Amino acid sequence: MVYIPKSTFVVDVQLINTTTDITVKSGDLLQPELKGQDTLYLPTFAFLIRHRASGRSVLFDCGSRKDWKNLPPAIVPSVATSGVHIEKSVDEILLEGGQDLNELTSIIWSHWHWDHIGDASRFPKTTELVVGPNFKENFMPGYPTKEDALLLDSDFEGRNVREIKFSDDLQIGGFPAHDFFGDGSLYLLDAPGHAVGHIASLARTTVNTFVLLGGDSCHFPGVFRPSAHLTLPSTIPSTVRMDARFPRPCPSSCFTSIHPVQDQASSTPFYNLPQAKGGWYADPPRAQERVTSLSELDGDENILVLIAHDMAMLEIKELFPRHNINAWKEKGWKERFAWSFLNELPNDAGKARREFEDAERLDIKSPDNEDWRSR
């Protein structure tokens, strides 16, 4: 069990589907490549976190701004070459749900990438922006002050930008940690590798249970599952909603048969992160180290790990504004959603989910569909 300092203070965590949906080539984010899984479908989630003791509310990640063509010129081409569909900006979603933006004390960016930062200019200047280590020296000032900047001046103008400083004095599961509210209810975790200043968050949802918001520590659960800390059961639990192409009950051999490491298929992740320079990970070896730490936390029965683009969250109906996800353990979500990603894997014939009608239940659009590619 992972050591986490005891506390009786908790936060309420609400799940927000930001409606930022992306398709990318699997090889950009996963290695080795498994025949049949050529494309990753990435919904994008944010989290509204309310500190019960003080009533303070913070937003962890924001999805993309709807008008992405107004991003800095240095960024627009990379968005244009992705399959991307954005229905609403997160500020619209919050307002429609009855959230007063003036009540948000902080926006926490897991990192600087366009699909996580939204449009900060649409939030009150009284809302601080919280970022990870080395952010300011790498990304401020923004465009147009700096012509080749990756962010906009308008993200920062008139706003306090607070850069978190981590130390080794407090560590949780191998991550240097920062006690955000000072009472053990919400920790920020130093999780570099994918991007400069990348951070994750650990929210205490009851006295003894937590949700780990992993940001882009990785983009697919098969990068940290299964593991020695959370092994693949011989039969997939009946609570996992498996696609119709798989038998019921579903033996794990449906998936271990395609695992790249046959003699450790039940205790080794299906994928690693790509290690080539110039890819989606700024520091691939460090990112892989953080994924290893993530696996340890994932093995704790009292911690639910949610990465920003996990398709399993599409099955969660308890969304903002009416619900929070604090009762995840009571509802059995860890067992139910931990293995949902197996549906995305190809079968032993090399055919992946998108070739089956099962994908339609999740409203997955083809990357070749112009509705998906809103360029």
Side-chain angles (χ1 to χ4, degrees):
M1 182 174 292
V2 176
Y3 170 73
I4 303 172
K6 292 183 178 180
S7 174
T8 58
F9 292 91
V10 301
V11 291
D12 291 319
V13 181
Q14 292 185 287
L15 176 64
I16 301 172
N17 185 339
T18 68
T19 73
T20 297
D21 297 324
I22 307 166
T23 55
V24 297
K25 294 180 180 178
S26 298
D28 291 338
L29 297 170
L30 307 174
Q31 290 294 327
E33 296 185 42
L34 294 181
K35 180 183 177 182
Q37 191 174 19
D38 306 315
T39 304
L40 281 184
Y41 301 87
L42 305 176
T44 308
F45 293 89
F47 301 86
L48 183 64
I49 302 170
R50 185 177 66 85
H51 185 238
R52 284 190 190 174
S54 67
R56 293 168 60 189
S57 294
V58 303
L59 183 64
F60 185 84
D61 274 348
C62 300
S64 174
R65 59 189 297 152
K66 188 165 59 176
D67 59 338
W68 58 265
K69 291 183 180 179
N70 289 325
L71 287 163
I75 294 297
V76 170
S78 65
V79 183
T81 55
S82 302
V84 58
H85 177 76
I86 305 162
E87 292 183 10
K88 297 179 181 180
S89 57
V90 73
D91 55 283
E92 290 180 279
I93 296 170
L94 290 170
L95 288 170
E96 289 175 4
Q99 174 65 48
D100 184 348
L101 300 187
N102 290 295
E103 294 178 355
L104 285 177
T105 58
S106 308
I107 295 172
I108 304 171
W109 283 353
S110 66
H111 61 299
W112 66 270
H113 289 170
W114 61 270
D115 54 323
H116 292 261
I117 62 172
D119 181 356
S121 71
R122 298 176 70 90
F123 291 86
K125 301 299 184 185
T126 52
T127 304
E128 69 169 351
L129 179 61
V130 178
V131 295
N134 305 311
F135 180 93
K136 291 183 178 181
E137 66 180 273
N138 282 277
F139 303 115
M140 296 177 69
Y143 177 86
T145 298
K146 186 180 178 184
E147 191 171 335
D148 61 348
L150 302 175
L151 296 170
L152 295 167
D153 283 328
S154 60
D155 292 326
F156 315 120
E157 286 174 349
R159 187 181 310 280
N160 179 47
V161 179
R162 177 157 63 110
E163 186 175 287
I164 300 298
K165 306 296 183 184
F166 293 93
S167 72
D168 293 331
D169 294 340
L170 176 61
Q171 293 221 0
I172 296 176
F175 292 91
H178 170 79
D179 190 344
F180 188 77
F181 288 118
D183 59 9
S185 62
L186 180 68
Y187 296 99
L188 300 184
L189 308 179
D190 190 19
H194 174 55
V196 172
H198 186 279
I199 55 178
S201 179
L202 184 68
R204 190 184 299 267
T205 48
T206 69
V207 171
N208 297 312
T209 64
F210 302 83
V211 173
L212 192 150
L213 313 178
D216 278 1
S217 297
C218 62
H219 294 74
F220 186 68
V223 173
F224 60 93
R225 293 184 190 130
S227 71
H229 307 286
L230 186 65
T231 57
L232 184 64
S234 58
T235 301
I236 306 306
S238 60
T239 54
V240 180
R241 189 176 180 183
M242 300 302 296
D243 289 350
R245 60 189 171 118
F246 297 113
R248 290 173 175 77
C250 183
S252 63
S253 58
C254 289
F255 310 102
T256 56
S257 63
I258 63 166
H259 199 292
V261 187
Q262 282 291 295
D263 60 343
Q264 300 177 48
S266 295
S267 59
T268 301
F270 284 87
Y271 291 107
N272 291 309
L273 299 178
Q275 295 298 300
K277 293 183 178 180
W280 284 50
Y281 289 86
D283 187 341
R286 204 171 184 190
Q288 190 66 55
E289 288 176 5
R290 286 296 177 242
V291 166
T292 300
S293 298
L294 190 69
S295 292
E296 180 182 352
L297 290 164
D298 189 48
D300 192 313
E301 65 178 5
N302 290 320
I303 299 176
L304 178 67
V305 174
L306 300 175
I307 54 175
H309 300 288
D310 189 346
M311 281 193 66
M313 286 190 279
L314 290 174
E315 297 188 29
I316 297 176
K317 304 305 180 185
E318 292 86 343
L319 298 173
F320 169 87
R322 295 185 178 180
H323 305 279
N324 64 46
I325 61 174
N326 287 45
W328 64 265
K329 186 173 183 180
E330 177 185 332
K331 295 178 179 179
W333 284 5
K334 190 175 182 79
E335 179 184 72
R336 178 181 168 191
F337 296 128
W339 306 114
S340 181
F341 78 91
L342 297 171
N343 285 300
E344 301 302 306
L345 297 176
N347 62 16
D348 54 10
K351 293 184 178 180
R353 167 186 258 180
R354 66 182 179 278
E355 300 181 39
F356 295 84
E357 292 182 358
D358 303 285
E360 294 180 4
R361 68 180 173 82
L362 295 178
D363 298 323
I364 299 170
K365 298 181 177 67
S366 165
D368 298 321
N369 186 328
E370 286 302 318
D371 289 338
W372 187 277
R373 292 185 181 274
S374 59
R375 297 185 178 180

